[in-house]
C-alpha cells in the first residue's frame, strides 16, 4: 500500500472519529435539552394543577357557605315556627300553672 493510500485511510479514520465525537456531543445536547424541557413541562403542569386546586377549593368554600346559609335560614324558619307554636300554647300553660298554684 502506498504512502498516499495510507494517508487517505488515516484521514478517513480521523474524520470518522471526529464525526462520531460530534454526533456524541449532539446526542448529549439533545438529551440535555429534552430533560430540561421535561422538567419545565412538569413544573408548568404542577403550577397549573395548584391553580386548579386553589380554584376548586375556592368554589367548594363558596358552595359550602351557600349551603350553610340555606341551613341557617331553614333552622331559623323552623325555630320561628316552634316559637309561634309555643306562643299559641302559652295562655293554656299559664292557666294551668295558675290553676295548680291556686289549688295548692
Amino acid at each position: 500500500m502506498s504512502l498516499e493510500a495510507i494517508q487517505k485511510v488515516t484521514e478517513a479514520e480521523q474524520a470518522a472519529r471526529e464525526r462520531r465525537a460530534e454526533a456524541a456531543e449532539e446526542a448529549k445536547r439533545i438529551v440535555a435539552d429534552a430533560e430540561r424541557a421535561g422538567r419545565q413541562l412538569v413544573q408548568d403542569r404542577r403550577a397549573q394543577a395548584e391553580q386548579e386546586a386553589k380554584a376548586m377549593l375556592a368554589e367548594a368554600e363558596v358552595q359550602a357557605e351557600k349551603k350553610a346559609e340555606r341551613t341557617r335560614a331553614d333552622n331559623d324558619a323552623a325555630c320561628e315556627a316552634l316559637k309561634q307554636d309555643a306562643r299559641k300554647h302559652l295562655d293554656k300553660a299559664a292557666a294551668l300553672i295558675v290553676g295548680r298554684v291556686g289549688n295548692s
Side-chain angles (χ1 to χ4, degrees):
M1 191 181 248
S2 72
L3 186 61
E4 187 178 309
I6 293 173
Q7 189 174 7
K8 284 186 179 184
V9 168
T10 302
E11 287 173 0
E13 288 174 345
Q14 180 64 29
R17 280 192 295 273
E18 288 173 2
R19 282 193 302 272
R20 277 194 302 270
E22 289 171 0
E25 287 299 315
E26 179 68 12
K28 286 179 185 178
R29 187 190 60 75
I30 290 170
V31 167
D33 288 349
E35 287 175 348
R36 188 171 28 261
R39 283 190 299 271
Q40 184 63 47
L41 183 61
V42 167
Q43 185 179 5
D44 292 347
R45 293 296 185 247
R46 279 190 181 139
Q48 182 181 1
E50 286 176 12
Q51 288 176 346
E52 289 175 4
K54 286 179 184 177
M56 290 171 66
L57 182 59
E59 179 62 25
E61 287 174 347
V62 167
Q63 294 302 321
E65 183 58 35
K66 286 180 182 179
K67 185 173 181 177
E69 185 58 37
R70 284 192 303 269
T71 301
R72 280 192 291 273
D74 291 347
N75 288 342
D76 288 347
C79 236
E80 190 57 38
L82 287 172
K83 286 179 187 177
Q84 297 273 340
D85 191 43
R87 285 186 188 113
K88 289 178 187 176
H89 300 291
L90 188 60
D91 289 339
K92 191 187 274 188
L96 183 65
I97 293 170
V98 167
R100 287 188 181 171
V101 171
N103 289 336
S104 309

